[in-house]
Amino acid sequence: MERLIDKFGRPITDLRIAITDRCNYRCVYCRTGNEGAQYAELPFTDYLRIARVFAGLGIEKVRITGGEPLLRRGVVRFVEDLAGLRRLDGRPLDLAITTNGHLLAELAPSLKDAGLRRVTVSMDAVERERFARITRVANGFDSVLAGIRAARKAGLDPVKVNCVLLRGFNDDQIVEFGRFARDEGVVVRFIEFMPLEEDRVWSPEIVVTLAEVLERIRTFRPLVEIPHALSETARRFRFDDGVGEIGIVAPVSQPFCGHCSRVRLTSDGKIRTCLFSLFDHDLHAVMRRGGSDEELADYVRSVVERKEARHHIGEPGFEKPSRSMVHIGG
Ligand code: SAM
């Protein structure tokens, strides 16, 4: 079987599957707070078949996302089924989940037992009140912290904590997050805010860049850069005493499109070849028509072939993508 490779020669090895676009948080930079779910959810058997077809095309990592993936009943069983799939080299898939962590304390041990390797928890403040203002959910902070601790205890490794920074909103939390990484033994990753929100909040001025994060965190302690793989999105740093790792994902100020290895499947079974795509590709329609695995694989190949060269954030004529982040799967 031929491995997936796009017309720019980028090998595609990383699939993200959104299993819902429902979310129990209403983060101010992501959702308006008025919109609910907008797209269908497929039965897990359909996502599993799609994942199997992708594994046969050289996919090595699968990340389950949403919406909030832990809201969907049956997610543990889905992880168990994914863990039964094999990569082309015969090894199991590298399985991860991105979650807001609200329900993680309860689910972490069974997710680990089911075959999950890693978890990324989104957390945009380390102060309770600030956290509530961002998520628009009262008392979520303690649940998320408990989720992070339970994930570490269950042996999910590494536990990454993603923080999207917005100027004037949570950029005063940068140093506190540095402390948090050291105290909690997690990898904290600061993410540059991208124009992917339901509302129109984004402006170049609100983005806190990689250079700025480094400058601020170095006032706390010196950092040493860790070499990273080209397809990795984050620049990685350790504090000078070896305790605590932070990463910075800088799609706006230092785009990494040239090494992008990702494609996404939305909850309703559409392929997106870039977060900023202006179109989806309806893979599930091929299934509904009774397409064979070979036909699904052919369709995936033809779509990947057309993957965009790069995004155009901040350029004149930038067009907003056809879906916002919560409805794509981050
Ligand atoms: N509900 C899960 C969660 O909270 O992680 C998974 C879905 S959420 C859409 C995935 C990630 O996208 C979160 O880390 C969130 O902070 C991030 N995100 C949402 N909107 C974003 C934006 N406009 N720019 C950058 N990251 C964004």
Side-chain angles (χ1 to χ4, degrees), residues 2 35 39 106 109 166 173 188 194 216 260 324:
E2 247 175 80
E35 315 274 350
Y39 299 96
E106 193 184 317
L166 279 79
Q173 302 276 290
V188 169
M194 295 177 278
R216 295 228 212 151
C260 182
S324 58

Side-chain angles (χ1 to χ4, degrees), residues 29-30 65-68 98-100 122 164 192-194 196 325 330:
Y29 62 87
C30 184
T65 180
E68 174 44 45
T98 300
T99 169
N100 61 29
S122 305
V164 177
E192 288 179 351
F193 180 42
M194 295 177 278
L196 282 166
M325 187 71 127

Side-chain angles (χ1 to χ4, degrees), residues 51-68:
R52 184 160 42 74
V53 168
F54 269 96
L57 290 168
I59 286 288
E60 295 172 354
K61 294 186 196 169
V62 173
R63 178 172 294 276
I64 302 169
T65 180
E68 174 44 45

